[in-house]
Amino acid sequence: MTTHDDSHDPHTLRPGDPGYDEELAGFQTGFTQRPDMISAAATADDVVAAVAYAADAHLPIGVQATGHGLPDTSTGGVLISTRRMTEVRVDAGARTVRVGAGATWGAVARAAAPHGLAPLNGSAPSVGVVGYTLGGGLGILAREFGYTADHVRALDVVTADAVPRHVTADSDPELFWGLLGGGANLGVVTSLEVGLVPVTRLYGGSLAFDGRETDVAGIVAAYTDWTSTVPSTLTSSLAALVHPDVPAMPPHLRGRYLVSVRIAFTGTAQEGARLVAPLRAALGEPVTDTVREMPYGDSPTIHADPDFPHPYYGDSVFLDHADAAGIGELFTLSGPAADGMHVVQLNHLGGALSRPAPNAVPYRSAGWLVRILSPLGEGGREAARAHHARAFAAVADHTVGRSLNFAFGGGDRTEGLHDPDTRKRLADLKAAYDPANLFRRNYNLR
Ligand SMILES: Cc1cc2nc3c(=O)[nH]c(=O)nc-3n(C[C@H](O)[C@H](O)[C@H](O)COP(=O)(O)OP(=O)(O)OC[C@H]3O[C@@H](n4cnc5c(N)ncnc54)[C@H](O)[C@@H]3O)c2cc1C
C-alpha cells in the first residue's frame, strides 16, 4: 500500500489536525463526514495528487465545495475540499465564465454584472457552480434558457487514473455527455467554462397567500391553470411551508402557513404585470407581494432561501403531467397537519428545458418537478422519508423519475435519478473511467 508523507503538506488534514473540523463544515449539518484524509486543494495539481494517492491506496473519494449537496454520512477515505479554488474569470466578448471548483453562483453573478451579463444560477447565491451544474442546474430563468449544463463549453476534470483532462463536446463527446448529468461519478472537476446570458434586470418576486385561509389544493389548481398561459420567458414555481414559530422569524411570518408563487420574467415590467394579472384575479389579495422590476443582482430575494447552515433531507419527483388533484393532495399532506415541517415546491418546467442537449440530464419531457425538503427533527432521515413516501404516493401515477440536484442526504438511494437508457450509458462510462469505483461518495452509479 502506498503511504503519503503529508507531515509538511499544508494541503492535507487528518483527524485531530487543527482546521480539520472547520474544513468539513458546510451548509448541510445533518450528516457527518469523517475522512481519514482531507485534501484541502488549492490547484488542479493538488487534486491530481489526492486522486493518485487514493487510487494507490484503494480509498473512496468524496468531493466538497460548499456542502449544500452532501450525499450522506461517511467515515474514512479521502475528501477533496475545493473551497479554495474560487477563480472566476469572465470573458465578456465570448459571454462565458471560467470558474474554479470552489466558486459560488453569487461570486459569478457579481463578476458578470458589470459586463451586462448574468449566469444561469439557481435560487441561492451560496450554492457551488460545479456541483449544481454536474446535476443539471435548474435555474431561475430555466424555462427560457434550459438547464445550466446545456451551456457548458468545457470542463477540466481529473479522472480515477489521476489524469487531468480538458473535455469538450468535440474532444471527448462521451465523457462530456456523462459528466453533465452524471454528478460526481466520473471524476473531480477542477474548472468549468459555461455560458452567460445578456440579462441585467427582471420583473419578478413572490406573491404569498395564507394557506390556512385558502384551500391549498385550490391554489395549486389555479397556479397550474395559469402556467398554461405564460411564455417560456417566464419561469415560476409554487412553494408552501409553515414558518417556524420562533423568535428568529419576523413576527408577521411566525407560525404562518404561506403558499407563494415565485416569478422571474425577462420581458418588460408592463408585459409582466399583464401576464401575472389573471393569477392575481384567481387568487385574490396576497399576504405579501414583492413582484416588481429589479436589477438581476436582487434576484436571490425572489426565493429568499435560508442562508444559514442547517440539517435537512430532501427528495423530488418529475411529473409528466400537471395532475392538480394529486399535487394538491401532496401539498395538503405536507402542510400544517403533517408531523414536522416540510417545504414543498412545485417547479413549472417545459420551454427550453425540454430541448435536447448533448448531456446526461434526464427527463426533458417532464412538465413539472415536485420537491419536498424536510428540516431534520427527532425522527431523523427515516421520519422524513416516511412522510415523503406518503406524500409522493399522491402523484405516483404521473411520476417519471427523480432529480439528482434535489436529493439531499439520500446517497443510499439512486433509483430513478436517470431513465434506464441514460443509467445504462452512464454505468458503461463509469466502468471505463472508474472501474474500481473510487468516486463512490456520491449518488453512486456503479
Ligand atoms: C438552499 C439550496 C438551494 C438550491 N437551489 C438549487 C437550484 O435553484 N437549482 C438547482 O439545480 N439546484 C439547487 N440546489 C441543489 C444544488 O445544486 C446541489 O445540492 C449541488 O450538488 C450543490 O453543489 P455544492 O458544490 O454547492 O455542494 P457540495 O455539497 O459541496 O457538493 C455537492 C456534490 O456535488 C459534487 N461535486 C461538487 N464539486 C465537485 C467537483 N469539483 N467535481 C466533482 N463533483 C463535485 C459532489 O458529489 C458533492 O457531493 C440547491 C441546494 C440548496 C441547499
Side-chain angles (χ1 to χ4, degrees):
M1 172 171 161
T2 306
T3 56
H4 181 73
D5 177 8
D6 54 36
S7 49
H8 302 293
D9 181 354
H11 301 308
T12 300
L13 296 164
R14 304 267 181 186
D17 283 351
Y20 175 90
D21 291 331
E22 290 76 0
E23 193 69 32
L24 293 172
F27 193 77
Q28 166 68 275
T29 60
F31 300 88
T32 51
Q33 301 183 89
R34 302 301 295 171
D36 288 337
M37 186 184 109
I38 304 174
S39 167
T43 65
D45 287 346
D46 294 338
V47 175
V48 169
V51 172
Y53 168 70
D56 278 354
H58 307 293
L59 295 172
I61 300 173
V63 190
Q64 180 170 313
T66 71
H68 281 76
L70 208 64
D72 215 332
T73 287
S74 65
T75 311
V78 172
L79 180 76
I80 300 177
S81 169
T82 61
R83 64 170 75 199
R84 288 166 191 73
M85 300 173 72
T86 53
E87 174 197 15
V88 174
R89 205 183 321 146
V90 172
D91 181 337
R95 287 188 184 166
T96 59
V97 62
R98 184 186 158 94
V99 300
T104 62
W105 280 122
V108 178
R110 284 192 296 278
H115 305 285
L117 298 169
L120 295 170
N121 56 278
S123 56
S126 54
V127 165
V129 174
V130 171
Y132 166 102
T133 306
L134 298 185
L138 183 65
I140 64 169
L141 303 178
R143 281 172 36 81
E144 181 168 0
F145 296 105
Y147 285 101
T148 306
D150 303 351
H151 297 259
V152 170
R153 310 290 165 84
L155 304 110
D156 290 293
V157 59
V158 180
T159 40
D161 49 7
V163 173
R165 298 166 196 266
H166 184 71
V167 181
T168 67
D170 294 330
S171 74
D172 191 339
E174 194 62 8
L175 186 55
F176 183 84
W177 174 88
L179 283 165
L180 298 166
N185 277 277
L186 300 171
V188 184
V189 172
T190 54
S191 74
L192 176 152
E193 188 184 323
V194 61
L196 300 168
V197 292
V199 172
T200 57
R201 51 150 297 280
L202 284 179
Y203 179 76
S206 142
L207 292 172
F209 301 90
D210 192 318
R212 288 188 214 264
E213 287 170 11
T214 324
D215 163 34
V216 67
I219 300 179
V220 169
Y223 169 68
T224 53
D225 278 355
W226 170 73
T227 57
S228 65
T229 68
V230 303
S232 59
T233 43
L234 192 152
T235 300
S236 70
S237 61
L238 187 70
L241 77 150
V242 181
H243 288 77
D245 190 0
V246 295
M249 249 322 127
H252 72 283
L253 295 179
R254 270 181 220 166
R256 256 186 127 162
Y257 179 44
L258 293 184
V259 186
S260 314
V261 182
R262 291 90 58 91
I263 295 163
F265 174 58
T266 54
T268 64
Q270 194 186 16
E271 177 63 359
R274 192 190 65 74
L275 288 168
V276 177
L279 184 71
R280 291 181 188 281
L283 291 177
E285 193 59 30
V287 178
T288 59
D289 177 351
T290 65
V291 179
R292 66 200 188 278
E293 172 80 12
M294 66 171 84
Y296 190 80
D298 287 354
S299 60
T301 63
I302 297 174
H303 298 82
D305 283 347
D307 56 2
F308 48 88
H310 60 281
Y312 50 95
Y313 172 76
D315 202 354
S316 67
V317 292
F318 283 106
L319 306 181
D320 58 7
H321 175 79
D323 164 23
I327 300 169
E329 189 185 337
L330 181 150
F331 270 71
T332 305
L333 285 170
S334 306
D339 279 346
M341 177 182 169
H342 306 283
V343 184
V344 187
Q345 300 190 48
L346 172 66
N347 286 82
H348 179 213
L349 306 179
L353 290 164
S354 46
R355 225 169 30 199
N359 58 48
V361 180
Y363 306 121
R364 298 231 169 214
S365 58
W368 299 89
L369 178 70
V370 191
R371 302 145 56 180
I372 308 180
L373 189 136
S374 306
L376 289 175
E378 257 172 37
R381 178 163 83 176
E382 290 320 310
R385 264 195 178 154
H387 173 76
H388 291 197
R390 277 193 301 277
F392 286 131
V395 291
D397 288 349
H398 293 283
T399 295
V400 294
R402 301 165 59 219
S403 166
L404 179 56
N405 263 8
F406 297 105
F408 297 113
D412 58 334
R413 279 190 63 215
T414 61
E415 71 273 13
L417 293 178
H418 300 90
D419 59 87
D421 289 348
T422 304
R423 175 89 183 213
K424 164 83 175 67
R425 194 169 156 191
L426 283 170
D428 290 347
L429 259 176
K430 177 86 174 157
Y433 279 96
D434 184 15
N437 198 17
L438 285 185
F439 300 118
R440 60 179 184 269
R441 292 277 159 81
N442 49 38
Y443 290 84
N444 196 216
L445 305 175
R446 242 185 318 190

